[in-house]
């Protein structure tokens, strides 16, 4: 089987509500999505998506994905999409780094490989758990009142997992954490996501003040050096997210004991092929996993769900998905959707969901 054509679409995905990170430092209203269709000489078609969370969140942006694909496409034509490692090597040779541009190609090829084998991607990766995965809601709020309001909105839709965005004023962060913990339901999974906003001193101030609550903080400081520096001075469990980009990062975090949770965002780490190695490093070191779409439509959510299904049930915290935050639906209601706060693995071969191609309009690029 050979790749004969790579077709690229762009879609704007507006958020239903404006969204704030870092206690109000960063505002997001619309996501720039790139949808990739790969055609083969045997008639199988695979789809991938790359949707960074805006362009101010991490070093990734929508136009960068499309430029990266333009550079890599000539090296992909003629490859067998089922040979994922060949595809990975071709992309890494054609364009070192730029992992976020490679993720949608990797996803399309996994989709084709799953269809060719007649099994869902998770089963092709070795076996997917059918235990539904809780979806983590994003609670991007600034005040105690807004936090309660957003969490209750998600609870009304069945959500039991919440990523509460903090990292603004330190005193306000402490007050918000205490309020959320005072109102949390027994079965709820809550993680406090700082998105790199704190200095080392600020991180220690909040983490020590809330020590008795034993809550998990995601990416409390900018870098792994910062996280390593504060590690001996607090007792809080840590999830590393934005600083987990390469396999070398994963190895360092595991070896040096810098985190109890890996926050694996598929677009940031370059797709399922690379993410699966991080999963294995985590599991080999007793580290839990929180799998995340970086942003985007139900396609990105489904990719995250496939990886989450290959993590043992006890080690999988949740799946972050943003389908309920996006105001448009490029897949016409198809694919895994929020059912009482959980996502169920699709049984269709491959990814299990494709976009409504007519609704995407004309492609922005075709390589053949
Ligand atoms: Mg995060």
């Amino acid at each position: 089987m050979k790749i004969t054509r790579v077709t690229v679409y762009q879609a704007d995905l507006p958020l239903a509500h404006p969204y704030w990170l870092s206690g109000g430092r960063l505002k997001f209203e619309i996501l720039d999505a790139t949808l990739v269709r790969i055609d083969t000489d045997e008639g199988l078609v695979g789809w991938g998506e790359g949707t960074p969370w805006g362009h101010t969140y991490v070093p990734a942006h929508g136009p960068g994905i499309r430029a990266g694909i333009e550079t890599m496409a000539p090296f992909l034509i003629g490859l067998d999409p089922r040979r994922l490692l060949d595809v990975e090597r071709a992309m890494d040779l054609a364009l070192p780094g730029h992992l976020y541009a490679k993720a949608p190609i990797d996803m399309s090829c996994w989709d084709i490989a799953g269809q060719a084998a007649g099994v869902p991607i998770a089963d092709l990766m070795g076996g997917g758990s059918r235990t539904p995965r809780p979806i983590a809601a994003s609670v991007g709020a600034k005040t105690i009142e807004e936090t309660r309001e957003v969490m209750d909105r998600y609870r009304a839709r069945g959500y039991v997992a919440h990523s509460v965005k903090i990292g603004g004023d330190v005193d306000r962060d402490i007050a918000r954490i205490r309020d959320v913990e005072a109102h949390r339901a027994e079965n709820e999974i809550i993680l406090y996501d700082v998105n790199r906003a704190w200095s080392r001193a600020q991180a220690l101030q909040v983490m020590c003040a809330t020590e008795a609550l034993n809550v998990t903080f995601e990416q409390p400081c900018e870098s792994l050096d910062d996280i390593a520096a504060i590690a001996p001075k607090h007792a809080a469990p840590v999830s590393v997210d934005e600083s987990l980009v390469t396999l070398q990062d994963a190895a360092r975090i595991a070896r040096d004991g810098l985190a109890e949770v890996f926050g694996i965002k598929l677009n940031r780490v370059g797709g399922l092929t690379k993410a699966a190695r991080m999963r294995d490093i985590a599991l080999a070191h007793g580290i839990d996993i929180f799998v995340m779409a970086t942003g985007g439509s139900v396609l990105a959510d489904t990719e995250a769900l496939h990886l989450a299904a290959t993590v043992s049930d006890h080690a999988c915290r949740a799946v972050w998905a943003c389908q309920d935050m996006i105001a448009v639906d490029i897949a016409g209601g198809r694919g895994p959707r929020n059912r009482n706060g959980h996502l169920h693995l699709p049984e269709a071969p491959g990814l299990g969901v494709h976009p409504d191609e007519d609704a995407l309009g004309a492609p922005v690029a075709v390589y053949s």
Side-chain angles (χ1 to χ4, degrees), residues 121-128 310:
I121 288 173
D123 286 351
L124 188 64
M125 295 179 85
T310 69

Side-chain angles (χ1 to χ4, degrees), residues 28-343:
F28 301 89
E29 294 179 296
I30 195 162
L31 306 182
D32 177 348
T34 301
L35 284 307
V36 177
R37 171 185 163 134
I38 288 186
D39 282 70
T40 63
D41 61 350
E42 294 187 17
L44 286 179
V45 172
W47 281 90
E49 173 176 9
T51 307
W53 192 259
H55 54 265
T56 53
Y57 166 57
V58 290
H61 65 137
I65 293 181
R66 297 186 287 276
I69 292 173
E70 181 181 4
T71 301
M72 295 185 289
F75 300 90
L76 300 171
I77 304 297
L79 293 184
D80 185 335
R82 297 166 302 179
R83 296 174 63 102
L84 271 302
L85 299 181
D86 288 351
V87 174
E88 182 191 32
R89 273 190 285 269
M91 290 196 287
D92 286 344
L93 278 172
L95 184 67
H98 298 276
L99 299 172
Y100 67 101
K102 297 167 180 171
I105 301 290
D106 177 80
M107 182 174 169
S108 315
C109 291
W110 275 103
D111 184 20
I112 292 168
Q115 292 176 55
V119 295
I121 288 173
D123 286 351
L124 188 64
M125 295 179 85
S129 168
R130 265 52 178 179
T131 305
R133 298 300 187 215
I135 316 173
S138 269
V139 183
K142 288 182 278 187
T143 63
I144 285 180
E145 293 70 30
E146 281 171 6
T147 308
R148 285 186 191 173
E149 191 185 307
V150 176
M151 288 184 79
D152 285 344
R153 196 164 73 213
Y154 281 114
R155 284 173 177 136
R157 305 184 69 159
Y159 281 75
V160 295
H162 306 271
S163 173
V164 179
K165 307 302 172 185
I166 56 173
D169 173 80
V170 162
D171 291 331
R172 197 175 60 193
D173 285 338
I174 294 170
R176 283 177 63 212
I177 293 167
R178 288 187 174 141
D179 190 73
V180 169
E181 290 301 310
H183 294 91
R184 81 186 286 166
E186 210 172 304
N187 62 343
E188 281 185 318
I189 302 158
I190 299 177
L191 178 143
Y192 295 89
D193 191 356
V194 189
N195 291 114
R196 320 188 300 276
W198 288 332
S199 66
R200 296 179 187 186
Q202 289 173 320
L204 286 171
Q205 204 179 328
V206 181
M207 294 164 102
C208 294
T210 56
E211 188 175 313
L213 298 170
N214 191 37
V215 300
T216 302
F217 292 91
E218 187 165 273
Q219 195 72 35
C221 301
E222 181 72 33
S223 68
L224 285 183
D225 285 341
D226 296 331
I227 291 169
I230 62 170
K233 300 176 182 171
H234 68 81
V238 167
S239 170
V240 170
D241 169 7
E242 287 99 317
S243 288
L244 176 57
V245 181
T246 66
L247 197 63
Q248 289 82 353
D249 296 331
R252 177 185 173 191
I253 295 163
R255 181 193 62 217
D256 295 349
L258 302 184
E260 284 68 37
V261 182
F262 272 14
I264 301 178
K265 274 205 167 78
L266 283 161
N267 186 255
R268 186 186 60 232
V269 307
L272 288 165
T273 303
K274 293 181 190 296
R277 301 188 187 108
M278 292 181 171
R279 171 203 59 199
D280 293 342
I281 286 183
L283 295 178
H285 291 83
I287 294 169
D288 288 349
I289 298 176
F290 182 22
V291 185
M292 298 179 249
T294 306
S297 76
V298 67
L299 272 75
D301 295 347
T302 306
E303 181 191 31
L305 177 60
H306 280 290
L307 182 69
T310 69
V311 177
S312 27
D313 290 350
H314 72 273
C316 183
R317 291 267 174 120
V319 175
W320 184 87
C322 66
Q323 55 181 254
D324 287 341
M325 301 172 73
I326 305 286
V328 300
D329 189 346
I330 63 164
R334 296 186 303 277
R337 303 291 172 151
N338 170 21
R339 277 162 58 186
N340 207 19
H342 291 74
L343 291 178

